[in-house]
Amino acid sequence: MIELAGNAVAVTGAASGIGRALAQQLAQRGCDLALADVDEVGLKSVSDELIRAGRVNVLARRVDVANAAQVHEFAREAILSFPKLCVVINNAGVALQGQFEELDLAQIQWLMGINFWGVVHGTHAFLPHLQRQSWAHIVNISSIFGIIGPPGNCAYAAS
C-alpha cells in the first residue's frame, strides 16, 4: 500500500457523491486536498466540513472540467498550493438518458465535455507535474456503462 498521509490529491466532482466520499476518506488518511466542482454550494459544504475537522489543508475551486482553461488554472493553483500533489482523481461526471433520436447534439456535446474531455483536460493539466514526482497516480472514474451500453444510455455509454 502507498502511504498517502502528507501528500496531496486533486479530486474533480468533489461536491457530492463519489467525489465527496473520496475527499472525506482521503482527508481521514491525512491528504491535503485540491477539490473542484461546478456546484459551489456543495463544494463549500465539503470544504468547510474538512477544514472544521482540522486535519488537512483544502483548496476548493469552482471548475467546469469541460473548459480546458479552467482545468489548467485549477491545476496550476493546486500544484502551487501543494507541491507534493501526487494523485489526480478525474471523477466529475454526468448522466443523460434517452434514445439517440431523442437527444440533440447540444446535450451530447455537454455530456462529452464533462465525461470525456474533463478526463482529457485533467490528465493533460496535471501530467507534467505528476511525471516529476517520485510516484504518482491518475485515477479515472467510470461506470459499468463504459463496458456495456444498455438501451437508453447511448451518449453516456459512449462517453
Side-chain angles (χ1 to χ4, degrees):
M1 284 296 289
I2 295 169
E3 180 56 48
L4 292 171
N7 290 296
V9 179
V11 181
T12 65
S16 62
I18 293 170
R20 186 181 191 116
L22 284 167
Q24 292 165 334
Q25 288 295 311
L26 289 163
Q28 288 179 359
R29 291 177 180 237
C31 296
D32 290 330
L33 296 165
L35 306 177
D37 205 297
V38 293
D39 174 4
E40 290 178 279
V41 172
L43 189 60
K44 180 168 177 15
S45 171
V46 71
S47 177
D48 289 350
E49 170 192 328
L50 298 173
I51 290 168
R52 272 193 311 273
R55 291 178 258 196
V56 297
N57 297 305
V58 178
L59 170 75
R61 294 290 181 263
R62 185 202 179 282
V63 177
D64 177 353
V65 296
N67 183 310
Q70 288 184 27
V71 176
H72 279 269
E73 177 59 22
F74 170 63
R76 188 188 70 71
E77 283 188 75
I79 292 163
L80 282 173
S81 297
F82 308 119
K84 291 176 71 175
L85 190 144
C86 57
V87 178
V88 173
I89 303 176
N90 291 307
N91 169 69
V94 294
L96 180 63
Q97 290 190 313
Q99 299 298 322
F100 184 79
E101 65 274 7
E102 297 171 331
L103 305 174
D104 62 45
L105 287 179
Q107 291 174 302
I108 296 170
Q109 288 169 334
W110 169 77
L111 179 129
M112 293 300 261
I114 297 164
N115 293 2
F116 176 77
W117 284 108
V119 171
V120 172
H121 297 321
T123 302
H124 189 260
F126 282 97
L127 186 59
H129 171 77
L130 296 176
Q131 289 175 318
R132 293 188 296 270
Q133 303 306 303
S134 60
W135 66 270
H137 294 281
I138 297 172
V139 179
N140 300 322
I141 303 296
S142 180
S143 90
I144 190 66
F145 290 178
I147 298 170
I148 61 167
N153 289 279
C154 59
Y156 181 69
S159 73

